[in-house]
Amino acid sequence: MTAKSMMHEKPVDLNLTTFTQCAPETVQAQPVVELVLALGSNYQADKYLPLARQRLAALGEVRLSTAFQNPDFTATTQLPKPDYTNQCVHLTLTTPMSLQQLQQTFKTLEGDCNRCRQTEPNQVRQVTMDIDILMIKLATIENSLSKYSIFKSISDWIVMADRYPFKTHEEAGVRELAVSTD
């Protein structure tokens, strides 16, 4: 399914069998032109989500899903945790970037949002901004990798294997983005 058809077809089939799936390491150096991200924050989301969206808009055209409030699935009665605000973003890059460059850009953006990755055991983790790459669309290129099965249809969306199956709010966000474009 190409990005254009994925973004226009209704209803959207998010069944894994309809998408190419690969580990991020296998496409690290490939030029990415579009991607779908999952943003999440459980601490000052009203401050950090707009900042992240603004920074992402500097990279290209941004389309947003509804922001969903979700309980932290790792919370327990012994260790309650704050809810997350999650949102999916479809980003069409102005200039193609490698997946590796994008991952570093997003890690830097998380840091700009005061993301602290170190926590003490049994301490509630405050996540100001988490950015995960759910899906990518590679630039259409012919190269030595084109002969490999994962590149046989390089214009297709590729689901990041480490993110699939999508969480419920991610799937809802991707579906919303897919049907919101005409």
Side-chain angles (χ1 to χ4, degrees), residues 28-42:
Q28 283 293 309
Q30 298 301 306
V32 174
V33 294
E34 291 182 62
L35 56 163
V36 176
L37 305 170
L39 306 182
S41 175
N42 74 354

Side-chain angles (χ1 to χ4, degrees), residues 6-91:
M6 183 208 139
M7 293 300 179
H8 292 287
E9 287 186 31
K10 299 174 190 176
V12 177
D13 182 3
L14 292 180
N15 185 329
L16 178 61
T17 61
T18 65
F19 292 100
T20 301
Q21 180 183 179
C22 70
E25 309 79 61
T26 62
V27 289
Q28 283 293 309
Q30 298 301 306
V32 174
V33 294
E34 291 182 62
L35 56 163
V36 176
L37 305 170
L39 306 182
S41 175
N42 74 354
Y43 181 73
Q44 296 184 350
D46 56 338
K47 174 181 178 180
Y48 292 111
L49 280 172
L51 176 60
R53 292 188 298 251
Q54 177 186 20
R55 297 282 178 85
L56 292 171
L59 299 173
E61 182 182 335
V62 169
R63 289 186 26 261
L64 305 169
S65 74
T66 302
F68 298 98
Q69 186 129 0
N70 301 294
D72 185 325
F73 68 90
T74 65
T76 63
T77 52
Q78 295 80 17
L79 187 62
K81 298 181 181 179
D83 289 348
Y84 272 85
T85 301
N86 299 103
Q87 186 170 42
C88 286
V89 177
H90 172 244
L91 174 60

Side-chain angles (χ1 to χ4, degrees), residues 2-175:
T2 65
K4 273 208 183 312
S5 65
M6 183 208 139
M7 293 300 179
H8 292 287
E9 287 186 31
K10 299 174 190 176
V12 177
D13 182 3
L14 292 180
N15 185 329
L16 178 61
T17 61
T18 65
F19 292 100
T20 301
Q21 180 183 179
C22 70
E25 309 79 61
T26 62
V27 289
Q28 283 293 309
Q30 298 301 306
V32 174
V33 294
E34 291 182 62
L35 56 163
V36 176
L37 305 170
L39 306 182
S41 175
N42 74 354
Y43 181 73
Q44 296 184 350
D46 56 338
K47 174 181 178 180
Y48 292 111
L49 280 172
L51 176 60
R53 292 188 298 251
Q54 177 186 20
R55 297 282 178 85
L56 292 171
L59 299 173
E61 182 182 335
V62 169
R63 289 186 26 261
L64 305 169
S65 74
T66 302
F68 298 98
Q69 186 129 0
N70 301 294
D72 185 325
F73 68 90
T74 65
T76 63
T77 52
Q78 295 80 17
L79 187 62
K81 298 181 181 179
D83 289 348
Y84 272 85
T85 301
N86 299 103
Q87 186 170 42
C88 286
V89 177
H90 172 244
L91 174 60
T92 303
L93 297 169
T94 303
T95 304
M97 296 173 72
S98 73
L99 183 59
Q100 188 172 25
Q101 290 172 305
L102 287 164
Q103 289 167 326
Q104 186 55 52
T105 298
F106 300 148
K107 189 172 289 263
T108 299
L109 175 52
E110 289 173 344
D112 291 347
C113 290
N114 300 315
R115 169 83 185 256
C116 180
R117 296 183 183 278
Q118 305 298 328
T119 58
E120 297 297 319
N122 295 326
Q123 180 184 6
V124 174
R125 195 170 69 143
Q126 294 180 332
V127 179
T128 56
M129 181 50 53
D130 181 47
I131 303 173
D132 294 311
I133 300 172
L134 300 180
M135 301 166 56
I136 62 172
K137 182 181 181 219
L138 300 176
T140 304
I141 56 173
E142 290 296 324
N143 62 26
S144 61
L145 295 175
S146 298
K147 64 183 177 249
Y148 298 111
S149 62
I150 63 167
F151 297 102
K152 66 181 182 285
S153 183
I154 206 158
S155 64
D156 287 352
W157 280 98
I158 298 173
V159 174
M160 297 292 97
D162 61 342
R163 296 299 307 169
Y164 199 86
F166 295 147
K167 295 175 183 166
T168 304
H169 62 270
E170 293 168 341
E171 183 171 336
V174 171
R175 285 184 185 279

